Amino acid sequence: MASGLERRQFMSALGGTAKIAIALAFAAAFVMRGAAQEFMAPPGTPAEAFPKPKRPVAHIVSPIWHSESERDAAGEPRQLVRLLGIKPGMTIADIGAGSGYYVVRLAPIVGPNGRIIAQDIVPEYLRRLRGRVRDLGLRNVIVSLGEPHDPRLPTHSLDAAILVHMYHEIAQPYGLLYNLAPAFKPGARVGIVDAFGPTSEHGTAPSLLRCELAAVGYREIAFHPLTGSNAYLAIFAPPSEESRKRPDATTACTQ
C-alpha cells in the first residue's frame, strides 16, 4: 500500500481531471471500507470457553447438491422464504454463505432497503463471492469474514439468520450460537436447514440440533420437513441476554 507521501507525489504529477478521478477513487475506497467494517463486531467469547461437541464435525462442503439448478428444482429457497417470513427491508445473515447460492436469491427479495450479510470462515469462498456479487451488481450485500466460533456481527443488526446445509460443519456450535445471539433484533428468527442423518454424513439429527441450540438458550418455534429433498427447516427464537446460557453452564449434547 502506498504511503501518504507517495500518494502526494503521484497526485502532484497529474493534471486536474486525473486528480479529481483519483480523489473520487480514494473516497469510494474509504466509503467501501467503512461499509465493510459496519458489520464487523469486536471479538466475542473465545472458543476455549465452551465445551467441544460430542459428535463428529463434517468436512466443509456438503455433497447433498451437485448444482444450483438441482437445488432450484427442489424448491428449497421458496420454502425457506415463505416459512421463515423473509420480506423486503429485512437484514438477513447467511452464515456459511459459501458460493452465495442463497445470497443472490435473497438479495432481490429484501430489496434496496434490506441487506444480506454473507458470512463465511473460508477466505477463498468470500473472494469468489465478492466477485459474484460485483458481477451481478448486488448493492445490498455485505461479504464478511467470521471465525468458526464467532460470526463477528454487531449487536441488534439482524431480523433473521439462516444456516443452510452447514450446521454439521460447525466445529464449535456452542460458541457460534452464543456469540451470534446478541446480533439479533427483538423478534428475530434463526432458520436452520439440514438433512436428516448423522453429522458424519453431512446431516444433523433433529434431536441433536434441538439439544445443542437449547444448551445455549435458543427455543424451537417451528419444524418443517421440506419437499424435494431429504431436508428440514427448523426455526428457533434466539435467547435474550438474560436467558442466554453462560459458557461455563453449557453442557455438550451427544449424538
Side-chain angles (χ1 to χ4, degrees):
M1 182 177 293
S3 67
L5 175 60
E6 290 169 330
R7 285 196 295 268
R8 288 193 296 273
Q9 290 172 337
F10 177 65
M11 292 289 285
S12 67
L14 297 172
T17 302
K19 286 181 180 180
I20 293 172
I22 295 296
L24 290 173
F26 278 128
F30 178 80
V31 170
M32 290 177 66
R33 285 197 299 270
Q37 290 170 354
E38 179 185 348
F39 280 89
M40 175 63 75
T45 303
E48 54 268 23
F50 301 91
K52 294 181 179 180
K54 293 181 178 180
R55 43 85 167 173
V57 176
H59 295 296
I60 293 177
V61 182
S62 169
I64 186 171
W65 300 115
H66 300 291
S67 69
E68 293 198 355
S69 60
E70 183 183 6
R71 298 183 75 173
D72 288 341
E76 183 186 277
R78 293 193 302 273
Q79 296 176 76
L80 182 142
V81 168
R82 176 175 58 85
L83 295 169
L84 199 54
I86 296 176
K87 297 178 174 62
M90 284 185 164
T91 296
I92 311 294
D94 184 358
I95 307 297
S99 65
Y101 175 80
Y102 267 91
V103 172
V104 302
R105 286 158 177 79
L106 294 183
I109 294 174
V110 301
N113 295 321
R115 184 166 287 173
I116 302 297
I117 305 171
Q119 186 271 346
D120 209 292
I121 64 171
V122 182
E124 179 61 19
Y125 290 177
L126 296 181
R127 185 188 67 79
R128 295 177 184 175
L129 182 52
R130 286 189 186 96
R132 186 176 188 181
V133 168
R134 181 187 63 248
D135 292 344
L136 293 173
L138 300 177
R139 299 181 179 276
N140 60 347
V141 175
I142 287 180
V143 178
S144 179
L145 180 67
E147 300 178 65
H149 70 287
D150 185 359
R152 300 289 299 276
L153 300 176
T155 303
H156 304 316
S157 61
L158 304 179
D159 295 295
I162 60 171
L163 296 84
V164 180
H165 295 298
M166 55 76 67
Y167 186 85
H168 48 268
E169 300 169 357
I170 300 174
Q172 181 38 268
Y174 306 108
L176 186 141
L177 292 167
Y178 183 90
N179 288 318
L180 176 62
F184 292 108
K185 300 175 184 178
R189 296 290 181 262
V190 183
I192 299 179
V193 175
D194 215 332
F196 290 96
T199 55
S200 59
E201 299 178 12
H202 290 275
T204 305
S207 58
L208 175 65
L209 184 73
R210 292 174 178 125
C211 181
E212 291 191 345
L213 272 87
V216 184
Y218 287 73
R219 177 174 56 87
E220 184 180 14
I221 56 177
F223 184 87
H224 306 278
L226 299 177
T227 61
S229 69
N230 181 39
Y232 60 82
L233 167 66
I235 302 176
F236 295 83
S240 65
E241 183 64 31
E242 296 74 24
S243 61
R244 186 173 53 156
K245 300 284 185 66
R246 299 190 320 274
D248 60 0
T250 302
T251 302
C253 302
T254 56
Q255 181 166 263

